[in-house]
């Protein structure tokens, strides 16, 4: 009897797995409270009507057409655990019915911000280069080893994009008391001011910063919005750190700016992933390289499951989800960050 | 006439130079307000009695015997701009006369703390190693590239020594909201508590930390106080970061602990500097290397001069120095950190 | 021609007025960018179809029936500037159409939190009583005047309700480094933890606090949830500070707890407002009184207009509102805090 | 035997008592570790030579002449537990011998800063006046009750004097994110900057602040330095809060400035204490009164003993005192704040 009453959850979390995003204990909790139906994006529409009609939640981001969505008559929330919203369902119908579509991408904010600060400190103090030199027996001691070294404390720092990642970036920077300028065209200025930073134009961020962090997602409007002109306008010796998606920059132009010695850079993302073995960025001095690994920590994946679990609890109590981020009618169709296919 | 009234300053700042520690503008200010007598440690005792009798300040850390000190009858303050106090003058006589002996070592706190955090993030996320791998075409993408990676936010962090550097370390860590344990046997617990941290025994710091920063100066009592046993008691995979002087650790034991894979480490200081070309630490995996360059930034040296300038201003007004750190009767003779001979 | 293209805004902001919530400059901006139709709750349904059909925004909280709502065919957002949501429109229809209903109540968070901290300090140190005694010539000097006085720094503090006001309360308390326990049944624990506080049961907050701030709105579920038993379970001498609405407490029981000397209290809200001239709370020692004035500052009203203005700007750009707080399908019908009829 | 080896402490702590400043447990600790000789200022010089010769510490601030001081041949530290330094001993001789003279006045910083913020909030929001009006049945509801009310968040705030109290003031203000200007002629600007505030002239603090806190001690140089002109130059409606000593202001001029309606004020200190029953400040509207009770909390007195205990422990280990504040050769003779005669 009790079996019948447990809410039903459709699970198709690829590229994640339930085991990746839930600890064993939490997965047991989940199975105790809900009936889990493990399926795939492809198989979901073929499930029995009775199953679809009882599904309260979906964990995953399956493509859904009007008909399938209609059959999901009890659906309250779709938990996208990849984290990038895709235009793969009739959002009008979803929103009209009051179904929440949410993502757990916020779990990546903390690990990405931490490595982002690590990139900045490595660039400003040449930590990686000095280690390589020391190993090669060509280290320079004391002040001789600090050509171009700069402090971060009190520096002028820019952040482009002030979502979860931008906020986490500002948090890990706190102890450095930077003068922080933030550009985010989707946010009212008051949100930036209340975070203790200054709202700024893209130009101001690019031209008046010692370090620039790019955390903006790709949208239908901002592909390649940072190009040769923007890099040329940066301060000499400034550090440019790319943390979101390569599509927001003109990557060859970024490489050229670094190659010229005008700026230094670090990136976690690339136009192609994996990157060709002979890609010239691999041998570019002044460009710190990381293979799209900034967010993919085990602990981040486990927080995904925790967010899903806690928000399901709120929804079960008749409250809206709170920890996951909701897709918005106004913006969902503009998102263009490509999902990952591996964890 | 005015010439006679300007206070006289004896300058023997080696290994620093006046040009290193004062900006051109400030050096001009200094020359306008004081008579500078540029001398050397060796030449100072041979200066005319009239010169010594008029000297109000010394910039440098010259050895002084009783007789010379007696001739420095108007002396109010010795500004040690190397930063390590040396047992090279009759401190009893100095203190009895109310002469201040101060150091400007605090200028290194900020640059050392910044690179220290950079070391920690590089170790926790393998930033330097991943860059080297990427350049060699053997990078691992996504989660595959994060074996052993850890977050710093919320981690348990220990700091050994809570002077200027320890405090700066705590400041740059702020945004990571660590659980911070601090060991400093020379400080009352209340000073650590009011900084928002927990006073802890050395054992607690070593055994309960994910990251340990060593900032303690060498004294007559603490040479080699961190040895094989202490490293073995650390958490598996913890990071040990040495920022002060190599003499506080048993360096071979530290290398062995890293070589065994039990911990990872970073160091800015070594038993011999420069280090022998064939020293085994140069090829030790898991050991991040930096050639005593953590503090030696131009901006740090210029802050030295600024501290001297501002404290001279206070002393001229009949106030005690405030920015520089004073030698204490009780502890001055216990200091053993070796001065540097190059900047 | 341009006239036709300016978006139309229906204005019925009572008890506010456009002049109260917009500065003269901002009101001019508003008139330049929009066509303002000033109306009233009662008159709105009688407006021409053409007017209603063009209205993009409503400033106010007018009752709307299905028919009127249908005629408001271009409506995107209703800006409730009173701040309490009322069950006076068919929310299902509103949400199905994707119309935002938002409130500007967040503007009161800062002024209410500030006076709330002022109440706490006045109670803990008897600031108001000592002033009255001094004026009456019966002041007690030094320690004699501090019977029962307590520090707030490091105290255990509870907050009930962690919306905008609760968060502002936590912010103004920051410098006191309290141990902060927060109870909010509508929030996941993670939200409280990330604010640096501890999620707690209502019982824990009431029994383990030196000071309790009540910031929770009245809902269909929490009327009178704090009664005699809860007050009796508080620490002897603790301070209870009521900032939201009187309906969340059993007011006579609160008075009795204060009259017995067990706790002290402050309140900005009352079961009836204005309160009867002979109400016994007026002469109750240990009960600090304020006449529902905590939020009603001119600057708060002007921030209302600014929030409306900035969010209209976002909506005009096809983005969702950000500064105002949105009514939620799940909770809108549960709200019971009575609107005010005067500013 | 052991008895002989316990260090000897001379105790003449009036107006404090050992029972006031030590908890029972700590007093037992003290008696176990030291031989306490309880004496008085007057009786101390008459003690046996053997007793004086063994005394390592004095708790109190007794007048000492050259001869008595010479007999105190083992003396290391005088713990002044009243907190104001007095010119009652030959400081040259004291300092030449390396005897520390320290005060425990820092214990008052926290309670005084807390009530100081309470005064500010009461003045800005008329908390005390509104309570009195409510009790008298003449309260004004809502916005009507907020004539002249102001927010503290983001306000321009000035602090005069940046010792322990000034720093505690800055701390409790943190959550309000004020623009903070600080005037302290004895401090280098860098100390103010590193506290996140702006060094400012006295004039800037007085003329550009919404709230001014006076925390400066009286010295030989600053008696009455705030007079009619300074008050007239304040912003209309600004709040002036006096927390240190009445001698730093021209008190009648302060009263006149408040009487004219130009500013509001709060004070914890008065030209005469206790104040005459018919003193006109008692009936002055706009002047919040407190009878020198800001610091005199039991918990503050107990912290005194704790500071003494912890610093004795450091001294016993051959380290300098750390928690108590040291008298300085340069400034000790300039202090003029009158000691209190009651707790």
């Amino acid at each position: 009897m009790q079996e019948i009453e447990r809410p039903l959850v459709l699970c198709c979390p690829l590229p994640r797995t339930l085991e990746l995003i839930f600890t064993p204990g939490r997965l047991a909790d989940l199975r105790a409270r809900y009936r889990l139906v493990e399926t795939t994006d492809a198989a979901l529409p073929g499930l029995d009507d009775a199953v679809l009609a009882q599904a309260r939640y979906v964990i995953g981001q399956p493509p859904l057409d009007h008909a399938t969505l209609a059959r999901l008559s009890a659906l309250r929330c779709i938990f996208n655990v990849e984290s990038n919203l895709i235009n793969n369902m009739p959002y009008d119908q979803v929103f009209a019915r009051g179904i929440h579509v949410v993502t757990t991408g916020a779990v990546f904010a903390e690990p990405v911000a931490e490595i982002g600060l690590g990139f900045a400190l490595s660039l400003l103090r040449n930590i990686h280069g000095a280690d390589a030199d020391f190993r090669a027996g060509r280290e320079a001691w004391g002040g001789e080893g600090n050509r171009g070294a700069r402090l971060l404390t009190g520096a002028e720092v820019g952040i482009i994009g002030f979502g979860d990642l931008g906020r986490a970036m500002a948090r890990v920077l706190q102890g450095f008391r930077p003068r922080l300028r933030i550009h985010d065209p989707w946010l009212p200025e008051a949100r930036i001011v209340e975070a203790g930073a200054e709202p700024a134009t893209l130009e101001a961020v690019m031209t008046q910063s010692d370090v620039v962090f790019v955390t903006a997602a790709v949208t239908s409007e901002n592909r390649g919005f940072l190009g040769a002109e923007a890099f040329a306008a940066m301060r000499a010796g400034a550090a440019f750190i790319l943390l979101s998606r390569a599509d927001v920059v003109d990557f060859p132009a970024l490489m050229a700016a670094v190659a010229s010695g005008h700026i230094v850079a670090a990136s976690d993302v690339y136009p192609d992933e994996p990157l060709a073995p002979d890609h010239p960025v691999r041998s570019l001095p002044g460009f710190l390289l990381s293979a799209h690994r900034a967010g993919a920590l085990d602990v981040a994946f486990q927080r995904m499951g925790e967010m899903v679990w806690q928000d399901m609890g709120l929804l079960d109590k008749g409250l809206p989800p709170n920890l996951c981020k909701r897709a918005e009618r106004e913006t969902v169709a503009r998102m263009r960050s490509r999902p990952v296919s591996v964890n």
Side-chain angles (χ1 to χ4, degrees), chain A residues 55-123:
Chain A
R56 184 182 291 177
Y57 307 121
V58 171
I59 299 178
Q61 41 288 329
L64 295 174
D65 59 19
H66 271 87
T68 308
L69 194 58
R71 292 163 66 209
L72 288 159
S73 54
L75 187 63
R76 290 205 208 148
C77 188
I78 298 170
F79 293 90
N80 178 327
V81 292
E82 189 281 328
S83 94
N84 292 290
L85 289 166
I86 324 166
N87 212 343
N88 65 349
M89 62 185 80
Y91 282 109
D92 279 354
Q93 186 182 352
V94 166
F95 290 123
R97 281 178 49 192
I99 297 165
H100 295 285
V101 179
V102 301
T103 75
T104 55
V107 299
F108 297 126
E110 191 166 291
V112 177
E114 291 199 4
I115 207 169
L117 179 61
F119 290 163
L121 291 168
S122 278
L123 289 175

Side-chain angles (χ1 to χ4, degrees), chain A residues 250-268:
Chain A
D250 176 342
F251 208 83
L254 173 58
M255 290 175 59
V258 173
S260 76
H262 181 54
I263 60 172
V264 290
S267 185
D268 189 54

